[in-house]
């Protein structure tokens, strides 16, 4: 029995060397491996390194989580500085904490800029910039949570993974000591993206929000204004996720069609 070991550093270098920084596509090298088996037979295998888009999704995942880690520390430091001000700590004794806070803000901003650069390399980048509300950093963070949308056979599976489904007519809730089969971070991000859709105040998803909010206000007399607002934002982000999933599948279909198309005669 033959055992093949692929060195991670060599594998990664092949991907990086083949990565087109303008498009995010890769020209991946093939490695021919031959080994002898008992009985004199020969086994020929073609080993391919991971696709560049797989590496891109992996990088988005790592840097998105790094962003959230730094953000948590930055928020905690901001609260500490605020507590010092509340307790009237002399300014000269606050300076160390204030300096650390400014440094964390700078690092957080730098990581978000890197997420933007990664998103620009993604095949979906052009669609993202034409969809007001999500933005390239938001898209990179979303991809960091979901990975490739190929893993979701329909948009309902994507909604459910991001906590946008309903259980007994209500949004799913987390209970202490119980595991959930959806991403809490995904639901937080979807809420942030929904607020961005409202804040940007233009585009089809803001129109969907306005239309649905009016519908809820007119037809759900028992709902508070806040309930109508939250439900309309939920509707808007689900519409964006639906369109993104459809565009992903369309792009995938075109890519596969190009691969299967015969070469033109020279």
């Amino acid at each position: 029995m033959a055992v093949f070991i692929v060195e991670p550093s060599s594998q990664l270098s092949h991907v990086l060397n083949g990565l087109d920084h303008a498009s995010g596509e890769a020209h991946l090298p093939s490695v021919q491996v031959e080994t002898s088996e008992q009985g004199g037979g020969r086994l020929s295998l073609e080993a391919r390194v991971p696709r560049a888009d797989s590496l891109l999704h992996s990088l988005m995942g790592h840097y998105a989580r790094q962003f959230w880690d730094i953000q948590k520390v930055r928020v905690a430091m901001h609260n500490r500085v605020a507590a010092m001000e509340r307790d009237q700590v002399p300014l000269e004794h606050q300076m160390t904490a204030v300096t650390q806070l400014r440094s964390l803000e700078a690092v957080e901003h730098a990581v978000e800029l890197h997420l933007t650069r990664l998103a620009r390399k993604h095949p979906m980048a052009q669609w993202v910039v034409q969809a007001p509300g999500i933005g390239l950093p938001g898209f990179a963070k979303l991809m960091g949570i979901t990975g490739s949308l190929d893993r979701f056979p329909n948009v309902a599976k994507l909604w459910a993974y991001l906590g946008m489904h309903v259980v007994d007519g209500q949004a799913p809730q987390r209970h202490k000591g119980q595991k959930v089969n959806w991403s809490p971070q995904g639901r937080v991000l979807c809420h942030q993206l929904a607020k961005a859709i409202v804040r940007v105040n233009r585009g089809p998803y803001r129109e969907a929000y306005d239309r649905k909010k009016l519908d809820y206000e007119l037809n759900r007399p028992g709902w508070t204004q806040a309930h109508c607002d939250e439900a309309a934002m939920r509707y808007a982000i689900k519409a964006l996720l639906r369109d993104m999933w459809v565009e992903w599948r369309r792009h995938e279909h075109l890519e596969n069609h190009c691969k299967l198309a015969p070469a033109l005669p020279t």
Side-chain angles (χ1 to χ4, degrees):
M1 179 178 178
V3 178
F4 300 92
I5 300 176
V6 179
E7 293 293 337
S9 58
S10 173
Q11 186 182 47
L12 181 59
S13 65
H14 279 305
V15 175
L16 294 177
N17 289 336
L19 185 62
D20 182 336
H21 294 281
S23 64
E25 298 178 352
H27 310 287
L28 301 179
S30 297
V31 181
Q32 190 76 13
V33 181
E34 293 187 354
T35 182
S36 297
E37 294 286 355
Q38 291 183 353
R42 295 180 68 81
L43 176 65
S44 178
L45 298 175
E46 185 182 73
R48 291 184 65 84
V49 297
R51 291 174 54 186
D53 55 358
S54 298
L55 174 62
L56 191 58
H57 292 145
S58 177
L59 289 173
M60 286 177 174
H62 285 297
Y63 280 102
R65 283 162 179 78
Q66 185 183 69
F67 175 85
W68 290 316
D69 289 343
I70 295 168
Q71 188 178 63
K72 288 177 183 177
V73 178
R74 191 263 302 163
V75 170
M77 183 58 71
H78 179 273
N79 292 338
R80 179 55 49 209
V81 171
M84 288 180 171
E85 293 175 351
R86 179 200 62 208
D87 294 343
Q88 298 181 346
V89 173
L91 185 60
E92 62 269 21
H93 295 297
Q94 296 183 33
M95 289 312 299
T96 298
V98 171
T99 301
Q100 291 171 344
L101 175 59
R102 298 293 175 260
S103 297
L104 287 168
E105 290 172 343
V107 174
E108 182 182 3
H109 180 64
V111 174
E112 189 162 49
L113 286 178
H114 189 62
L115 283 168
T116 302
R117 288 192 291 269
L118 291 173
R120 285 199 187 102
K121 299 175 182 178
H122 200 279
M124 288 280 290
Q126 190 60 39
W127 181 88
V128 172
V129 299
Q130 295 175 354
I134 183 170
L136 290 170
F139 174 76
K141 294 168 191 172
L142 188 61
M143 289 294 99
I145 293 170
T146 65
S148 171
L149 298 191
D150 293 343
R151 60 191 287 236
F152 302 103
N154 55 61
V155 71
K157 298 285 187 183
L158 176 60
W159 287 340
Y161 184 77
L162 293 170
M164 292 290 104
H165 59 304
V166 293
V167 177
D168 297 328
Q170 295 183 340
Q173 300 295 322
R174 298 179 68 184
H175 299 284
K176 188 175 181 179
Q178 293 183 0
K179 292 184 177 180
V180 294
N181 59 356
W182 45 276
S183 168
Q185 183 67 63
R187 188 162 75 169
V188 170
L189 179 61
C190 284
H191 181 72
Q192 292 170 343
L193 294 177
K195 291 177 71 173
I197 288 171
V198 176
R199 188 169 56 250
V200 77
N201 201 26
R202 61 184 175 85
Y205 306 111
R206 173 60 200 244
E207 292 174 3
Y209 162 83
D210 290 335
R211 183 175 65 254
K212 203 63 179 177
K213 184 178 180 182
L214 179 61
D215 176 57
Y216 289 143
E217 289 171 345
L218 293 175
N219 299 303
R220 305 293 175 94
W223 284 15
T224 64
Q225 189 72 17
H227 193 170
C228 292
D229 184 61
E230 288 290 330
M233 286 198 296
R234 185 182 178 88
Y235 179 86
I237 189 59
K238 289 180 73 172
L240 185 148
L241 292 170
R242 176 202 61 206
D243 291 351
M244 186 174 71
W245 184 89
V246 170
E247 177 63 19
W248 187 288
R249 292 291 172 170
R250 188 190 72 82
H251 186 275
E252 183 183 56
H253 172 75
L254 290 176
E255 190 177 64
N256 291 336
H257 179 73
C258 291
K259 288 178 181 177
L260 295 174
L264 294 174
T266 56

